[in-house]
Every structure is written in C-alpha cells, then in structure tokens.
Amino acid sequence: MVKVKMDEMSWVEVKEALDNGFDTVIVPVGSIEQHGPHLPLGTDTFIGEALSVMIAEKLGKTLVTPPITPGCSQHHMGFPGTLTLKPETLMQVVRDVCKCLIRHGFKNIILLPTHGGNFAPIETLIMELAMEHKDVKIISPLKLEELIKVMNDVMAEYGVTFKEAGVHAGAAETSAMLHINGGLVKMDRAVEGFTGEYTISQLYSYGVKAISNTGVLGDPRKASADAGRKMMEKLAEYYVEKIKRELKI
C-alpha cells in the first residue's frame, strides 16, 4: 500500500510523491481533552488521523500531515489533562503549516477538524488564507453539524438514539475508538452521561462540567466496534464526495 502519512516518510519520499502528482494534502486538527472516564485524551486526534488516512487512500494522490494539537478546548478545562489553545494561537499554527505545504508545492489543502471547538477558528482561517493564496485551494469540507449527523445516523442503525450517541464521549465516539484502537478504551469505566437538554451557548459559556460531572454527553455503554467501523467508512465516503465536489476532481 502507498504511504500517505508524511511523518512516516523521508523528505525524498515526499518529493517523489509531489513529482508523481500527489498535490493534495490533509491536515487533521485534533485536541487533547477529557473524553469521560473511559476514553483517552487524544480521542478526537486519533479519530481525525485515522479518518484522514482513509480519505487520502480513497482520494488517491493525497498525503496526510501529522495531526495538529492541542485544539480549542477551554470548555473542557474543568477536567485534568485537558490542554487548550486560544483560537488565534491555533489559527496561527495552522496558517504556518499551510504556508509550509504551499511552499513545498501542494495545490489542494484539506483542513479536517474533528473537535467541535476547532471548527469556527478553522472556518475563519480559511477565509483569510483564500485571500492570501489565490493559486491554492484550501478547504474544510464539513460543518460540525454534518459530522455529528453522519456519526449519529449510523448509530441509529444500531438502535442507539441521538442523545445516547451523544456529541462528546457518548456511544458514537466510543464506537469509533473501539474500532480504531480498542486497547485505549476502558469500557468497565463507561457510565451513562448527560442525555438531557442543553444549548451550545451553555456548553461554551459554563463548560462541560457544569452540564456533566463525568464529562460525558451521551451513553457510551451503547457503543460497539462494528458500529465504529461502519461509522468511519460512512464518514470517509461522505468526506470524499464533498471534497471531490469542492475541488472539482
């Protein structure tokens, strides 16, 4: 299988890939933050990198950079281990990475956030980069709502409700991690999280801990590795379709 992860390649291999038409690159933008008692702090990062590799292999002639972390996770700082950046700091880091990729000759850059707090800064940054680099296409193909919908629609096929699938450390993300690296998941510590009503404004204003003292929004006990496998496949297919439309490839 062709290598796609740049951090596993030598500079010679990257140059050979560029010379052979690998002009598209995916930049996963993850986080280091609490994901309940049962999931690792790097959950969003692990999911984002695995998904990026799947997308790159489906697209063809596409490489994947190492994930950018930490992300913007201020609303998770009530839990030990969480690391967070200011939005402007994350934007500057991603901007610098994009400039490196442009200098090396990549023509299509796909920014792929898999943590909710990263979507708004990335969307703002893309508008700025589009004005600065008119000869390069820089996109972020999905909105946060789309990402959640695709994941939770798959969970519905397994009899899991939207609230149980959750938006953070619930059955959806837990299923993805069971598929990607089940050894990092402690299902014996999985507990039902908050499945009631709340607003995004409350989440960001007061922090997750004010809503869920375990950090879980959903019910991870309903997770399964098979649901995670199907979810990742559906997400990869959905991303590839959107990317091809936006890049016209």
Side-chain angles (χ1 to χ4, degrees):
M1 186 173 290
V2 178
K3 286 184 180 179
V4 298
K5 295 174 66 174
M6 288 175 63
D7 55 351
E8 296 180 354
M9 301 167 69
S10 70
W11 73 264
V12 175
E13 290 173 308
V14 174
K15 183 179 185 301
E16 288 172 347
L18 282 162
D19 290 343
N20 286 313
F22 281 68
D23 59 358
T24 300
V25 61
I26 302 174
V27 183
V29 188
S31 68
I32 303 295
E33 63 183 31
Q34 73 83 21
H35 273 78
H38 63 295
L39 289 179
L41 298 171
T43 290
D44 288 340
T45 304
F46 298 139
I47 292 174
E49 183 173 37
L51 182 57
S52 295
V53 170
M54 292 175 70
I55 294 167
E57 290 174 346
K58 287 179 180 294
L59 281 175
K61 294 191 177 298
T62 301
L63 299 183
V64 178
T65 72
I68 293 177
T69 59
C72 298
S73 302
Q74 182 62 40
H75 49 302
H76 292 282
M77 282 299 291
F79 299 89
T82 297
L83 305 178
T84 190
L85 300 177
K86 295 178 181 178
E88 57 267 32
T89 304
L90 177 64
M91 289 169 64
Q92 188 57 56
V93 171
V94 178
R95 178 184 283 108
D96 286 350
V97 169
C98 287
K99 287 183 177 179
C100 294
L101 297 169
I102 292 168
R103 178 172 174 176
H104 294 318
F106 290 98
K107 298 299 182 185
N108 303 309
I109 300 175
I110 301 161
L111 303 181
L112 199 146
T114 44
H115 159 62
N118 294 345
F119 278 79
I122 293 301
E123 188 172 346
T124 300
L125 176 62
I126 282 178
M127 291 187 288
E128 296 178 6
L129 291 173
M131 292 185 285
E132 297 171 13
H133 305 281
K134 298 186 183 300
D135 56 339
V136 178
K137 293 180 180 178
I138 305 174
I139 68 169
S140 184
L142 261 63
K143 303 284 187 184
L144 175 59
E145 294 78 10
E146 288 180 274
L147 179 67
I148 293 172
K149 185 179 186 307
V150 174
M151 294 176 74
N152 289 6
D153 281 353
V154 171
M155 295 309 299
E157 297 178 25
Y158 288 79
V160 180
T161 68
F162 188 91
K163 288 184 177 180
E164 290 170 336
V167 298
H168 189 78
E173 284 191 317
T174 303
S175 293
M177 279 302 299
L178 283 171
H179 169 64
I180 294 166
N181 191 338
L184 295 178
V185 182
K186 299 177 176 63
M187 287 304 293
D188 59 323
R189 295 187 179 181
V191 294
E192 181 181 10
F194 185 76
T195 56
E197 301 295 332
Y198 62 90
T199 66
I200 296 299
S201 177
Q202 288 174 318
L203 196 66
Y204 286 109
S205 297
Y206 302 110
V208 174
K209 196 163 190 178
I211 298 171
S212 170
N213 60 11
T214 64
V216 177
L217 301 172
D219 190 349
R221 299 174 302 171
K222 301 294 183 72
S224 72
D226 190 60
R229 175 194 57 77
K230 187 167 185 180
M231 181 191 309
M232 294 296 287
E233 290 174 355
K234 288 286 187 182
L235 279 171
E237 291 168 4
Y238 193 83
Y239 267 101
V240 167
E241 183 181 332
K242 294 269 292 191
I243 290 166
K244 285 183 174 179
R245 283 206 303 264
E246 289 197 39
L247 295 182
K248 295 181 174 58
I249 57 177

